Every structure is written in structure tokens, then in C-alpha cells.
Amino acid sequence: MARHPFLCLGVLLLAYTVINATRVKRQEEEGGDDVTAEQLCDGRPGDEYFRLTTDGDCREVVRCTRSGLKQITCPSGLSFDLDKQTCDWKGKVTNCDKLEKPRKVMPILKTDEPICSEGKLACGSGDCMEKELFCNGKPDCKDESDENACTVELDPNRAPDCDTNQCRLPDCFCSADGTRIPGAIEPNQVPQMVTITFNGAVNVDNIDLYEQIFNGNRHNPNGCQIRGTFFVSHKYTNYAAVQELHRKGHEISVFSLTHKDDPQYWTSGSYDDWLAEMAGGRLIIERFANITDASIIGVRAPYLRVGGNKQFEMMADQYFVYDASITAPLGRVPIWPYTLYFRMPHKCNGNAHNCPSRSHPVWEMVMNELDRRDDPTFDESLPGCHVVDSCSNIQTGEQFARLLRHNFNRHYTTNRAPLGLHFHASWLKSKKEFRDELIKFIEEMLEKNDVYFTSLIQVIQWMQNPTELSQLRDFQEWKQDKCDVKGQPFCSLPNACPLTTRELPGETLRLFTCMECPNNYPWILDPTGEGFNVRK
């Protein structure tokens, strides 16, 4: 299967050239010019790629590093898109005649002497504007500079640093570096929680895999069956199977309605986009999987492309409790989940750098990167991977087994932050040995008396009420509902509804549900499937 071009850049960064020359030829519109690397890099973000020349095939770009200019080259047939900052198909790149991204006018936020009166800040032009208008998603300065410095570090209205005097459980949790254990419990009294999550449609392609992993015979030390969390996307999902996963006590969360394959759609999505995708996706799951207990409270962004403050404003308004899309860079000690009332305790790693900068009443179930080195005591450092299938060097069951145990020990022997194992089912099904090694790992860990395989909401429940291992067998939040589920599915012969919608012309899709068939295939403008509202 062809690799998507948006994945190319991450691979290319493993092979690069550092240009150490003190002077490089820089092509300008008027003609060639010799400039130093220092001049090229003055005021330029270190993660921004740009061209030295527009001659050639549009494949080569450089970025600034301490050791010089780092150069990468896109594979043959691809070109580098300056706007998207990634390799893409040559026919889709329209900026090969440009040397760099357009420079944005920045506001004047720090000066020796104040430019504006108290409560106001200066636009790039020097005009003064109310502070609260900066980074509100709507340009107010004439030069639009008030919306150009809105990262977690620069937003003038950003969330404050963690204050443990104000941030108290059960509603708020933070720590300066993210490594603090809730309740100040000693590590050896903390249950090592392992969260297994799956992203995508639930259907005949993966139902058997889920039944093999969660077969009803594997129990945590408290006697309850192990649990997983399923982030469900809509298209091709069998809602009778989702209903059965929910009946068995697994957590159902939202992975979007359309799962559009343009990562930029998610990064730059408006409030209404996120509302339609996530609240609309939840409405469909609740209706056609007959989930009526208001338990769908989690969101994961496709491609892990976080939607900044707009996404989290929508989540708070729609009573979503947590997001599980933000990745934390690989570190010596892993990070615990945290609430976003206060500033994130780590760098905005990946996610197109569009992490929320404001304060939001939402939990972040942070994805700690996995260490994918084959031999951590010998191998050189490699970039971490947040989803197991993105650990591209894992090719055999033996390598996968080492990855699982090494990363388990990284968490277990430090602060016991939850270990997240995040999958697309197709990867586990690509090789039988991957599935077998995961099951072997689960069964081996369950022989311990301090390891629990939990859903993400169960992690939050424990964090809100930190409980030592000695008292955990009677921890009611984990035992009050669906502890050890037996019995038959709600329905063995779901309706297979052949449906169309005006939004997807020419497509007939089957909607499997134990509920009554809708009139149309549910989609983003018609999530109930009852038909479009047409004004006369």
C-alpha cells in the first residue's frame, strides 16, 4: 500500500545533510546573493523549512539548527509544500516559485517601555488594542497581528502556570513538570494502569480481534474484566458491534464523524467544524448503538491534529470530559494526565503545534511517546512514537514484545503514570505474532497484583479519588457497574440498512444497527438520518 505523502517528512528527517558553509547562495527575485546562515536564520522559527533557491525540482528545503542548515530532500515524484511544511504529490504543490512561507506580522508584546495603557497591547503597527481581543480567533488589528502569536508560550491570554493551591482534586490536577503522582501516594502503592485504545471504525474486519483480546476470561486483580477504550469513527462502523462492546463494559469515545483525510482540516477547524464532527459523531453512536447512559465523554482527533482552543471550547460546551490527542515527547519520566485549567506541563509536541493555549475545564489524557529502541542500553536515541503502529522499526513479534516490556518498565519503575498502548486494529491484524505477543503481555502482567488494564475514564476516576493498592480491591468507582459481564448480545441479527445521502452522491452504504433503520445514511449535515431540513 502506498505511503501517504504527509507521512514522508517524518521518515526523511532520519536522513539529512547539514550545510556547514558559512556563506550560502540565496536566490532572490533580483538575482543571486551570498548570505550567511546566521542572516537566513535571524528571527526564523527553528522548525520552519524554507528554500535556498527556486531552481530545480522543488524537492529540497533547509531549516536552521545550531550546527548549521539542515537539508532534506523529498522522494522522487513529491515536492515540498511550504504552506503545509511537508512533502506532497508534485501536482498539488503550488508554491514552488516561493522561497519561504509568507512572513506574518507579529504583535509587539514586550518592550522596555510600555507602548499602550494598562489592559491593552500593541499590534505590529503600534496601534493599541484591548488585551482580551488577542488570540480570540478573529483579527482585530488592521495588520491581523493580534492572531499571529497564539501558541501556548506566546498567547497573551494563555492559561497560567500550575498553582497547586488553586488546582485541587477531584476537579483539577496539575504539576509543574507533569510527573507528580495524584494524592502524593508512594509509587509502590500506585496501581500501574495500562490503557489499550483503538481508533477507527468497528466492523467485521476487527470484531474478532477485539473478542480475542477481551475474551471475558482476563481479570484485573479486583476481579473485574479488563477494559479498553474505542475511539469510533462513523463510516463503515457496525453499531450492533459497538453496542455489544458497550454492554461488556468497554468505553466508547468519538474519533469524528467524517474522518476527513486532510490533516489541515482538523488543525484549522472552526468551532462549528468540531461541533459537527464530535458532537455529531456522538449523536450517531448514541442513537444507533443504543447508548443511553451519557457515557460517551471522550474525543480523539484524527491524525492527532489537535484543533487548538476552538476544539476545547466546543468540548466544554458539549460536556466532553476529556481529549486524548496531545502527545508528550519521550522523557526519562512519563507524564500523568492533567486538566487544562492551567498550562500544559510539556512542549506542544507534534499535533501541528496547535495545542490549546487558554484555560479549559477539560482533562487531557496525554499520549506519552513510546521508546522504540530495540536495545535501550545500547542503541542510539530514536524519536519516540505515540501510536504503536507508528513505531516503524517494529517488524517482528520479538521486537514488539521487547517494546511492550521495556516501556512498561519505564512507567512501572518511575512514577507509574498510566501506560498508553494505542492501536489501529489493522496493524495488530497484519501479523498474527503481533496479536499473540499483546495477549501474552496482558496475561503476564495480570499475574502481578498491582497492574490493571483500564479504560481512560477509569484512569480519571482513580485520579479524582487516589486510592492505594491495599484498598483498591474495593474501589467502588471500578466495581459499581459492569464489573464482570456475562450473557448474550442485545441482538444477534442486526438490521443491515442499505442507505444513501445527498452528501455522498452515488454511494450506497450499509448501516448495521439493532435499532430501526433511518431514512438516510447519517452524515455531517444530517446526523440523525431523518433527512435534510429544506426551507420553502
Side-chain angles (χ1 to χ4, degrees):
M1 190 170 76
R3 187 178 293 275
H4 194 284
F6 287 109
L7 300 178
C8 295
L9 185 56
V11 176
L12 288 167
L13 289 179
L14 299 178
Y16 60 82
T17 303
V18 175
I19 305 171
N20 286 309
T22 55
R23 302 190 75 83
V24 294
K25 181 69 77 177
R26 171 74 160 173
Q27 177 187 307
E28 303 291 354
E29 291 181 7
E30 300 82 16
D33 222 359
D34 280 346
V35 293
T36 64
E38 288 78 9
Q39 289 172 315
L40 284 172
C41 294
D42 184 33
R44 188 187 299 274
D47 59 355
E48 181 188 313
Y49 287 88
F50 59 97
R51 301 189 221 284
L52 295 177
T53 175
T54 55
D55 293 340
D57 53 11
C58 195
R59 291 168 56 199
E60 292 184 355
V61 287
V62 297
R63 73 175 175 87
C64 301
T65 70
R66 290 181 180 176
S67 54
L69 295 177
K70 181 185 289 187
Q71 176 180 299
I72 69 152
T73 303
C74 294
S76 180
L78 301 184
S79 295
F80 193 87
D81 190 315
L82 289 173
D83 295 326
K84 296 177 181 175
Q85 289 285 293
T86 188
C87 299
D88 203 346
W89 303 118
K90 194 164 188 175
K92 295 174 110 180
V93 178
T94 60
N95 49 44
C96 287
D97 59 337
K98 302 287 192 299
L99 292 171
E100 59 193 8
K101 289 174 66 175
R103 305 244 66 81
K104 293 181 177 179
V105 179
M106 302 300 284
I108 306 170
L109 299 179
K110 292 184 179 179
T111 57
D112 292 335
E113 295 292 332
I115 297 176
C116 303
S117 58
E118 189 173 350
K120 292 187 176 183
L121 294 173
C123 305
S125 62
D127 296 335
C128 294
M129 199 70 62
E130 298 292 337
K131 179 183 175 183
E132 59 264 25
L133 296 177
F134 281 70
C135 300
N136 64 356
K138 175 178 159 291
D140 292 289
C141 293
K142 290 178 182 178
D143 56 14
E144 301 187 355
S145 59
D146 56 308
E147 298 301 316
N148 292 340
C150 299
T151 63
V152 174
E153 292 79 18
L154 295 177
D155 184 348
N157 299 294
R158 59 186 176 272
D161 291 337
C162 173
D163 181 347
T164 53
N165 292 320
Q166 293 187 48
C167 184
R168 296 180 178 275
L169 292 169
D171 299 318
C172 182
F173 179 76
C174 71
S175 62
D177 63 358
T179 64
R180 182 170 66 92
I181 297 173
I185 295 176
E186 288 298 317
N188 63 4
Q189 283 301 309
V190 175
Q192 178 58 67
M193 293 172 275
V194 182
T195 59
I196 297 175
T197 77
F198 289 95
N199 304 337
V202 176
N203 54 36
V204 67
D205 292 336
N206 47 45
I207 292 170
D208 60 331
L209 172 71
Y210 302 150
E211 289 175 344
Q212 289 164 347
I213 296 171
F214 303 105
N215 64 0
N217 298 320
R218 299 186 177 104
H219 293 80
N220 285 318
N222 64 351
C224 296
Q225 291 178 25
I226 65 172
R227 298 286 183 244
T229 298
F230 294 82
F231 291 93
V232 178
S233 54
H234 170 49
K235 203 173 186 182
Y236 309 122
T237 279
N238 181 324
Y239 287 99
V242 174
Q243 186 170 351
E244 177 62 5
L245 286 170
H246 178 258
R247 184 187 76 86
K248 289 181 175 179
H250 299 296
E251 183 183 11
I252 307 300
S253 294
V254 186
F255 197 46
S256 83
L257 196 160
T258 68
H259 200 277
K260 283 189 180 178
D261 61 4
D262 175 10
Q264 197 59 35
Y265 167 79
W266 305 99
T267 298
S268 304
S270 67
Y271 179 100
D272 288 340
D273 290 333
W274 284 98
L275 178 68
E277 291 284 356
M278 297 304 178
R282 176 169 63 184
L283 174 63
I284 291 173
I285 297 171
E286 288 178 337
R287 176 167 294 206
F288 297 106
N290 194 26
I291 296 176
T292 59
D293 58 2
S295 61
I296 303 176
I297 56 172
V299 159
R300 176 167 283 161
Y303 309 102
L304 306 183
R305 285 296 194 109
V306 179
N309 292 313
K310 295 300 178 190
Q311 174 191 337
F312 289 83
E313 288 165 12
M314 179 282 299
M315 290 180 64
D317 291 347
Q318 294 297 314
Y319 301 102
F320 283 107
V321 172
Y322 72 82
D323 170 76
S325 315
I326 295 179
T327 62
L330 187 63
R332 188 184 65 81
V333 180
I335 289 174
W336 276 86
Y338 50 85
T339 52
L340 286 163
Y341 286 107
F342 292 87
R343 186 177 174 180
M344 291 165 45
H346 58 89
K347 288 185 177 179
C348 183
N349 185 45
N351 310 104
H353 303 290
N354 196 24
C355 296
S357 59
R358 304 289 181 93
S359 177
H360 303 280
V362 174
W363 283 81
E364 182 55 49
M365 306 307 289
V366 63
M367 300 172 72
N368 284 290
E369 285 190 337
L370 301 171
D371 184 346
R372 60 192 174 104
R373 291 175 295 171
D374 236 21
D375 183 355
T377 61
F378 176 77
D379 286 356
E380 62 184 52
S381 180
L382 286 173
C385 43
H386 33 267
V387 180
V388 176
D389 22 320
S390 67
C391 303
S392 55
N393 60 316
I394 304 301
Q395 300 291 330
T396 68
E398 189 178 332
Q399 288 177 313
F400 182 39
R402 286 198 293 271
L403 173 98
L404 291 172
R405 285 159 183 80
H406 167 57
N407 282 282
F408 174 86
N409 288 329
R410 282 184 61 243
H411 288 245
Y412 189 71
T413 59
T414 56
N415 65 349
R416 297 203 177 179
L419 169 63
L421 300 175
H422 312 295
F423 299 96
H424 292 90
S426 56
W427 187 85
L428 274 176
K429 293 201 70 170
S430 65
K431 290 183 180 177
K432 181 176 179 291
E433 56 187 319
F434 289 163
R435 181 204 62 195
D436 292 345
E437 288 297 341
L438 177 61
I439 290 173
K440 189 186 301 182
F441 169 76
I442 293 170
E443 292 182 340
E444 178 184 317
M445 294 303 117
L446 289 176
E447 292 176 5
K448 301 175 179 287
N449 63 1
D450 53 2
V451 178
Y452 286 75
F453 287 82
T454 68
S455 64
L456 294 183
I457 189 59
Q458 287 180 310
V459 172
I460 295 177
Q461 288 171 335
W462 185 88
M463 291 183 68
Q464 289 180 319
N465 182 15
T467 302
E468 294 190 352
L469 278 168
S470 58
Q471 301 166 14
L472 202 56
R473 288 181 181 271
D474 298 318
F475 185 61
Q476 286 308 304
E477 287 86 340
W478 286 1
K479 299 194 77 168
Q480 62 189 1
D481 188 30
K482 299 183 178 179
C483 173
D484 191 21
V485 179
K486 307 292 183 185
Q488 297 301 310
F490 286 119
C491 68
S492 54
L493 286 173
N495 295 315
C497 316
L499 300 168
T500 60
T501 172
R502 275 175 23 199
E503 297 178 81
L504 301 170
E507 286 193 67
T508 298
L509 295 156
R510 289 200 176 271
L511 182 77
F512 291 89
T513 176
C514 298
M515 311 304 287
E516 188 177 328
C517 293
N519 297 325
N520 304 284
Y521 188 74
W523 204 242
I524 196 156
L525 297 179
D526 181 24
T528 63
E530 293 173 354
F532 292 88
N533 291 320
V534 180
R535 292 184 180 178
K536 295 183 179 179

